[in-house]
Amino acid sequence: MIQEQAFVKQLKEGNIHAFNHLFDSYSSRLYGFGIKYLKSETDAEELVQDVFLKIWRNREKLKEEENFHSYLFTVAFNQIRDYFRYKVVFLDVDEHLELMPSDNSTETTITYRSVLEQIKALLEKLPDKKQKIFYLSRFEGKSAKEIAVIVGVSPKTVDNQISEVIGFLRERLKESGPLLWLFYWLFIQ
């Protein structure tokens, strides 16, 4: 761990040897992680490249005291989530165009609002503090540490509360239609 922190510190300073060391240490594990979710060798290779490119570009923001492994796999997970969002929104559009009316902007807006209202109605059944934690996390994109400061609890409590809300929503949306389930998977989970 201490040696890893030293490499992260050197990477922050632009040391390409430190970058190469971290790449060599983590690329195969990251590739395996990508294969598990993406089911494609090419996409997994691109994931590794994209993640390390992002690490290089944002190297000055790295915090050597934080766990690099966790940071790296969080970036990878977010890249995978973005990939699936992109795929659903842009790559699969042609398949669904035949099923949609030619002018669907109003219909799409109404459907989206309806789904969002159903999610919000479920969230309103939760205690106020739990609602606030979840909204700050999923709708405002705040980290567990930021939320902990705002709400006055520990980051671990924030993580636990978010997990409980996700479980609550998953349970309530199990029998819902595919649109609600897709919204949950893309934006809530």
Side-chain angles (χ1 to χ4, degrees):
M1 180 76 169
I2 294 173
Q3 187 178 18
E4 181 179 275
Q5 289 175 342
F7 283 114
V8 172
K9 183 177 182 189
Q10 292 171 12
L11 173 59
K12 280 180 69 170
E13 297 164 355
N15 184 316
I16 193 71
H17 298 298
F19 176 83
N20 288 338
H21 174 81
L22 292 168
F23 181 86
D24 291 341
S25 297
Y26 287 102
S27 60
S28 62
R29 285 185 270 176
L30 199 56
Y31 175 81
F33 181 74
I35 284 285
K36 179 179 173 185
Y37 289 99
L38 301 171
K39 310 290 188 221
S40 160
E41 291 179 9
T42 304
D43 290 340
E45 288 170 3
E46 286 181 24
L47 172 71
V48 172
Q49 292 172 0
D50 290 346
V51 168
F52 276 97
L53 180 61
K54 194 170 198 170
I55 297 291
W56 178 256
R57 287 183 178 158
N58 296 308
R59 66 186 176 274
E60 291 94 14
K61 296 176 187 173
L62 291 173
K63 297 175 183 163
E64 60 242 35
E65 67 275 0
E66 289 187 9
N67 186 323
F68 183 75
H69 177 270
S70 296
Y71 176 74
L72 186 69
F73 281 85
T74 299
V75 171
F77 180 78
N78 290 333
Q79 290 283 114
I80 291 169
R81 182 180 284 180
D82 290 347
Y83 168 81
F84 283 113
R85 283 181 182 156
Y86 173 82
K87 187 173 181 180
V88 166
V89 173
F90 295 106
L91 299 182
D92 292 340
V93 166
D94 292 337
E95 294 174 19
H96 302 299
L97 284 178
E98 298 165 4
L99 304 173
M100 295 181 166
S102 59
D103 180 18
N104 69 347
S105 60
T106 303
E107 182 181 340
T108 302
T109 302
I110 291 169
T111 302
Y112 174 77
R113 286 185 182 157
S114 171
V115 168
L116 194 56
E117 290 304 316
Q118 290 177 50
I119 298 288
K120 285 183 178 180
L122 285 172
L123 292 173
E124 287 174 2
K125 295 178 179 181
L126 299 169
D128 291 340
K129 190 178 248 184
K130 202 173 272 194
Q131 281 182 47
K132 184 173 185 174
I133 288 170
F134 191 77
Y135 274 100
L136 289 169
S137 169
R138 291 306 192 263
F139 294 102
E140 294 184 22
K142 298 205 180 292
S143 71
K145 288 180 182 177
E146 293 171 317
I147 297 168
V149 170
I150 293 168
V151 180
V153 296
S154 74
K156 183 72 175 161
T157 299
V158 169
D159 290 337
N160 289 339
Q161 295 286 310
I162 291 170
S163 293
E164 288 176 20
V165 174
I166 289 171
F168 170 81
L169 290 174
R170 182 183 301 125
E171 196 60 38
R172 300 304 184 284
L173 295 174
K174 253 185 203 171
E175 305 301 320
S176 300
L179 186 61
L180 262 173
W181 189 246
L182 179 64
F183 181 86
Y184 164 80
W185 189 81
L186 290 175
F187 299 103
I188 304 295
Q189 187 168 334

